[in-house]
Amino acid sequence: MIDLKYLQNHFDEAAARLSKKGVAEKTLEELRERFETLKAANQRYENARAEQNRLSRLFGEYKREGKDIGELQEQVGRLKIEVNDYQEEARKAEEALVALAMGIPNFPDESVPEGLDEEDNVEIRRVLEPRKFDFRPKEHWELAEENGWIDFERGVKLAKSRFALLKGQGARLQTALINYFLDRNIAKGFEEYAVPFMVNSKMLEGTGQLPKFEEDLFKVCDEDLWLIPTAEVPLTNIYHDEILSAEELPVLMTAYSPCFRKEAGSAGRDTRGMIRQHQFAKVEMVAIAHPDNSDEVFEKMVQQASDLLTELGLPHRLVELCTGDLGFSAARTVDLEVWLPGQGKYREISSVSNTRDFQARRAKIRFKEGKKNRLVHTLNGSALAVGRTLVAIMENYQQADGSIEIPEALKRYI
């Protein structure tokens, strides 16, 4: 959640930053109104309490001096009811403010380029040159059918559209990629976790998926449990409502998980193949960092995702997202886009974000520095999306006869 004190004390400045992320002026005005409502309610409550304290002291004096306390006692009784009413009014006003604030996105970093959508993102650099083919490169769904790696029709039969069935060498390659990514992440200092694939509502609120993105999640009927959209959710919330020591930071974590997303709003996009699925495999990196060095951790995570693609021989580019394309929780994001020769374009395969203290404030993740508790910074990134890496390997390593070579880095895994 955004820093409400900063928002209240520097409202115009904060509103300008939020407007760059697409927050409507109407919403910002509503925020201002709820601040004013809370401020007025708190003032009434504090005034009533001060008067209650004054009368209580006076009541004591009257008793000691043997004065008639009848009328004063009635005043104290009436004021006690008023204090309780004003306190409840202030509590409801604060709840209303927080409820609105929970749907407000994170502030973008000052360094983030301004823009409306992905067309305004800024390319940072390209890594590896795309291969030149002496034949027409096929798209991955054509190669999947020829090699018997992916069965799209039976995936739909088993579940519904946007589910796929991997088999044979396709299934083995997915397992190889998961193990390869985990091994390489561990070698860079990330500790492996095996996390639950379902979490409760509080955890999704902590990382920002709830309440705003409920329509994109799969809920377990009659249970306060949701299928995870990414391992970022359980990994980050391992430290939900906990206080770490400064010496423990940064905490670097990695995990494989299936990810479940309804892909609400993506109707008609990537309807063929493996690019946009309701269930997909991913290896995630998450960091809990000291605010003073979260930028350094961010660069390490971006480099790690890029190194994995480089070691697999997959051409890719790094792109800085503009303000209008940033995710809800992100203050800064770098996407890694892999070259797909069948499509003739770069497609996102990893997204690395620094959320600063946005998630930490929602999830109450702190660290002790001296005698004070401070909010940590949380970071997350894909290393990598397994299905899209499989797609990239199929298209980049395809041969003229339709067969597919295995990248050298994976040969010991398969």
Side-chain angles (χ1 to χ4, degrees):
M1 189 168 67
I2 53 175
D3 185 345
L4 294 180
K5 286 184 179 179
Y6 166 70
L7 186 61
Q8 185 174 24
N9 295 333
H10 309 277
F11 191 89
D12 291 339
E13 176 185 307
R17 293 175 65 187
L18 289 172
S19 65
K20 294 176 183 178
K21 217 168 176 184
V23 179
E25 185 176 343
K26 181 181 177 182
T27 302
L28 294 171
E29 282 306 312
E30 189 175 355
L31 262 179
R32 190 195 294 269
E33 289 172 8
R34 293 195 186 187
F35 268 124
E36 293 302 322
T37 300
L38 176 58
K39 183 179 179 180
N42 280 332
Q43 190 62 57
R44 285 190 291 271
Y45 171 58
E46 291 301 329
N47 289 344
R49 279 194 65 190
E51 180 64 9
Q52 184 183 40
N53 291 336
R54 186 187 74 81
L55 291 180
S56 295
R57 289 192 298 271
L58 192 59
F59 185 82
E61 290 175 12
Y62 275 27
K63 286 191 71 174
R64 286 193 300 272
E65 296 171 4
K67 293 182 179 180
D68 181 16
I69 60 172
E71 184 179 345
L72 188 60
Q73 194 168 20
E74 288 182 13
Q75 285 182 293
V76 170
R78 287 195 301 271
L79 196 56
K80 183 178 181 181
I81 295 172
E82 284 185 21
V83 167
N84 289 338
D85 289 344
Y86 287 142
Q87 185 178 31
E88 179 64 13
E89 182 185 351
R91 185 190 66 79
K92 288 182 178 179
E94 184 175 18
E95 279 187 356
L97 174 61
V98 170
L100 181 59
M102 287 289 277
I104 301 297
N106 196 4
F107 297 111
D109 281 357
E110 295 293 345
S111 63
V112 173
E114 287 190 41
L116 296 176
D117 53 35
E118 61 184 17
E119 297 299 320
D120 297 316
N121 293 339
V122 177
E123 183 177 302
I124 300 170
R125 65 178 180 273
R126 298 191 179 194
V127 181
L128 302 182
E129 283 293 321
R131 170 186 165 195
K132 297 187 185 303
F133 290 83
D134 55 9
F135 59 91
R136 180 191 71 83
K138 297 175 181 176
E139 298 202 47
H140 71 278
W141 55 78
E142 301 174 82
L143 295 163
E145 184 176 346
E146 288 183 25
N147 290 274
W149 282 19
I150 309 171
D151 192 328
F152 295 105
E153 291 183 3
R154 288 194 173 100
V156 173
K157 180 178 74 172
L158 290 171
K160 64 175 187 177
S161 61
R162 296 187 188 268
F163 284 87
L165 177 70
L166 272 64
K167 60 179 183 177
Q169 197 80 341
R172 290 191 66 203
L173 189 55
Q174 173 172 277
T175 304
L177 284 167
I178 292 168
N179 289 327
Y180 169 69
F181 294 155
L182 288 171
D183 281 355
R184 299 299 296 130
N185 288 348
I186 292 166
K188 292 295 183 179
F190 291 82
E191 184 174 10
E192 183 182 358
Y193 285 77
V195 297
F197 300 156
M198 292 187 282
V199 293
N200 60 48
S201 299
K202 202 72 176 173
M203 302 303 104
L204 288 159
E205 287 176 4
T207 43
Q209 284 78 18
L210 285 179
K212 191 172 179 65
F213 301 103
E214 181 176 346
E215 75 283 354
D216 212 27
L217 303 170
F218 286 99
K219 190 177 190 303
V220 179
C221 293
D222 302 321
E223 293 272 357
D224 182 26
L225 286 173
W226 307 72
L227 295 174
I228 60 172
T230 164
E232 167 201 341
V233 179
L235 284 175
T236 304
N237 281 292
I238 288 172
Y239 294 97
H240 192 286
D241 200 12
E242 293 189 18
I243 301 173
L244 297 91
S245 67
E247 292 71 30
E248 291 179 82
L249 302 177
V251 178
L252 304 177
M253 300 171 280
T254 187
Y256 151 74
S257 79
C259 304
F260 304 90
R261 300 179 188 177
K262 287 184 179 177
E263 292 291 349
S266 66
R269 297 177 61 193
D270 299 309
T271 53
R272 296 189 70 182
M274 289 272 290
I275 293 294
R276 199 175 297 275
Q277 297 276 284
H278 289 309
Q279 176 185 322
F280 58 95
K282 184 153 68 83
V283 173
E284 188 76 358
M285 298 181 292
V286 165
I288 310 292
H290 192 290
D292 293 348
N293 68 2
S294 68
D295 287 326
E296 179 185 334
V297 175
F298 178 79
E299 296 299 336
K300 174 177 180 173
M301 292 171 67
V302 171
Q303 190 61 51
Q304 175 64 1
S306 179
D307 287 347
L308 290 173
L309 290 167
T310 302
E311 290 166 13
L312 289 172
L314 296 174
H316 58 282
R317 65 177 186 172
L318 282 66
V319 176
E320 181 93 34
L321 298 198
C322 70
T323 53
D325 201 30
L326 275 180
F328 179 78
S329 297
R332 183 191 176 195
T333 296
V334 168
D335 275 2
L336 288 90
E337 299 177 351
V338 69
W339 175 253
L340 298 182
Q343 294 188 26
K345 63 174 69 172
Y346 287 95
R347 298 300 302 267
E348 179 197 336
I349 195 168
S350 175
S351 192
V352 181
S353 298
N354 190 340
T355 77
R356 303 298 179 188
D357 59 12
F358 183 82
Q359 291 180 332
R361 184 172 288 104
R362 297 167 75 107
K364 301 177 184 176
I365 307 173
R366 296 142 291 165
F367 72 100
K368 186 169 289 294
E369 189 167 65
K371 294 183 178 180
K372 292 184 178 180
N373 293 334
R374 293 180 60 189
L375 293 170
V376 301
H377 282 188
T378 62
L379 305 92
N380 63 80
S382 310
L384 294 162
V386 179
R388 293 192 179 195
T389 309
L390 178 62
V391 167
I393 289 172
M394 293 171 72
E395 293 198 12
N396 281 278
Y397 282 88
Q398 62 180 292
Q399 305 302 303
D401 63 359
S403 62
I404 301 163
E405 286 189 0
I406 301 298
E408 192 64 35
L410 291 179
K411 287 185 177 177
R412 71 185 184 92
Y413 290 90
I414 192 167

